[in-house]
Amino acid sequence: MTTGRKTAGMKTAQYDALLLLSFGGPEGPDDVIPFLENVTRGRGIPRERLEAVGEHYFLFGGVSPISQQCRDLKAAIEADFKEHSIDLPVYWGNRNWTPYLADTVRQMKEDGVRRAAAFVTSAYSGYSTSDQYVEDIARARAEVPGAPQIDKLPAYCRRTGFLSPFVDATRTALADAPQDTHLVFTAHSVPFAQPRRELYVAELEEAAATVADEAAPGSPWALVYQSRSGPPSQPWLEPDVCDHLETLHGAGVRSVVTVPVGFVSDHMEVKYDLDVEAAAKAEELGMRFVRVTTPGTDPRFAALARELVTEAETSGEQA
């Protein structure tokens, strides 16, 4: 494999592979606690807390949806590349579970990859949603002598390929909803002290506003947070989605459509924290609760990888 290929729609040929980079998740009951230990390493999380969180996964057979979703997204990106005559192999590596990123980088090196673009399954800027992945790439490359150069592609939270699937799904969810339905946009909470937290929030607010304006102009909406994992003494982004549902209920709202705008696929934070926990809270309050789908493998979302690689080829823009 060389870097001298010619591909349709690309003026240069600096990349010879695409890396799909994700978070990772357990694929069986025996994986759950070791996976959670990977996620929380160095944070002093007590074993009993890991076991409590592990119960979320055991509700789904100890399998996180994210791994199959990554396989499906990889296949969708490969199909889009083929359709547009883009001759790039697609690799997949994770931060916290197999296939581990360092193993993927090692395979890329063995296959002769010299320079790759990394498409991360997180649309936003900020530390945990962007910068930490850059650190992961550097750490993995350091483990592989002669590793290929890997450039993280820019955040894509403003891109049509990410937002349009949310717009369409929100319109569908509102089609038979009562007129007083409120839109509740959710994203993963992060600590107040996390670097670039302000940019993360600003991008989320912009994305939520765009979806609300296009899907339901004039409808009431709010951005709230979910999946907090820190100690009570540490300030995190609020309000929590369940707290917000109680506030809406107190104001007389009886119907909500929840839009997980902070996520690209229906992984565990969506399937448990929204579909189980928030849905149960809404039922307790007597509220109608509908959760819209994430982009997943929508062709417009899969095409984002090609669009970003093509733009990076011509502009040299990176995260």
Side-chain angles (χ1 to χ4, degrees):
M1 183 183 298
T2 68
T3 56
R5 58 178 171 76
K6 297 295 182 180
T7 54
M10 292 187 182
K11 294 175 66 175
T12 64
Q14 61 177 316
Y15 294 121
D16 50 13
L18 178 79
L19 169 64
L20 176 63
L21 177 53
S22 195
F23 191 82
E27 298 204 69
D30 292 342
D31 297 343
V32 172
I33 297 302
F35 163 73
L36 293 173
E37 288 172 342
N38 285 347
V39 173
T40 61
R41 183 165 287 116
R43 292 166 53 188
I45 305 297
R47 174 80 178 195
E48 55 269 24
R49 173 59 181 161
L50 298 185
E51 292 175 350
V53 174
E55 292 301 320
H56 303 175
Y57 290 90
F58 293 132
L59 282 176
F60 297 86
V63 178
S64 169
I66 196 170
S67 293
Q68 188 58 49
Q69 288 163 3
C70 283
R71 293 186 184 97
D72 294 342
L73 178 57
K74 179 177 180 290
I77 292 171
E78 289 169 336
D80 179 80
F81 278 4
K82 182 177 181 180
E83 180 182 352
H84 292 86
S85 302
I86 303 297
D87 184 20
L88 283 182
V90 182
Y91 294 82
W92 167 36
N94 291 323
R95 172 186 293 170
N96 294 301
W97 202 248
T98 57
Y100 288 110
L101 180 55
D103 294 335
T104 301
V105 171
R106 191 171 292 108
Q107 184 63 58
M108 293 165 69
K109 180 203 171 185
E110 292 174 1
D111 291 346
V113 175
R114 298 182 183 179
R115 188 174 185 184
F119 181 78
V120 173
T121 57
S122 175
Y124 296 89
S125 303
Y127 177 70
S128 59
T129 49
S130 180
D131 301 348
Q132 194 170 5
Y133 283 105
V134 175
E135 294 175 358
D136 293 334
I137 290 170
R139 190 178 304 110
R141 292 185 68 245
E143 292 183 30
V144 182
Q149 180 175 336
I150 302 174
D151 303 329
K152 180 187 174 297
L153 294 169
Y156 48 82
C157 54
R158 295 184 176 91
R159 302 294 295 244
T160 299
F162 174 66
L163 294 174
S164 290
F166 279 120
V167 172
D168 291 348
T170 302
R171 284 176 179 154
T172 299
L174 288 170
D176 59 354
Q179 283 195 335
D180 65 343
T181 297
H182 280 232
L183 294 176
V184 179
F185 291 88
T186 72
H188 205 300
S189 185
V190 301
F192 259 71
Q194 187 171 104
R196 300 216 294 164
R197 180 254 307 167
E198 296 90 345
L199 178 58
Y200 174 61
V201 172
E203 289 179 344
L204 284 167
E205 290 174 342
E206 181 180 346
T210 299
V211 174
D213 289 346
E214 293 189 17
S219 293
W221 65 271
L223 172 65
V224 303
Y225 298 92
Q226 60 172 91
S227 312
R228 174 189 171 130
S229 60
S233 60
Q234 184 182 38
W236 281 52
L237 292 174
E238 295 179 337
D240 175 79
V241 59
C242 290
D243 293 340
H244 183 65
L245 292 178
E246 291 186 342
T247 299
L248 290 178
H249 179 264
V253 176
R254 294 297 180 266
S255 175
V256 297
V257 166
T258 304
V259 186
V261 74
F263 305 95
V264 304
S265 65
D266 288 7
H267 49 65
M268 189 57 69
E269 283 81 359
V270 175
K271 299 294 289 182
Y272 181 84
D273 296 351
L274 294 181
D275 294 355
V276 175
E277 204 168 51
K281 172 58 69 174
E283 183 177 8
E284 172 192 321
L285 296 169
M287 299 177 75
R288 180 180 181 273
F289 180 92
V290 177
R291 194 268 295 172
V292 310
T293 57
T294 49
T297 58
D298 186 292
R300 294 167 293 185
F301 181 59
L304 257 182
R306 169 177 48 84
E307 295 168 5
L308 291 170
V309 169
T310 302
E311 291 169 12
E313 286 271 7
T314 56
S315 71
E317 183 181 3
Q318 303 168 23

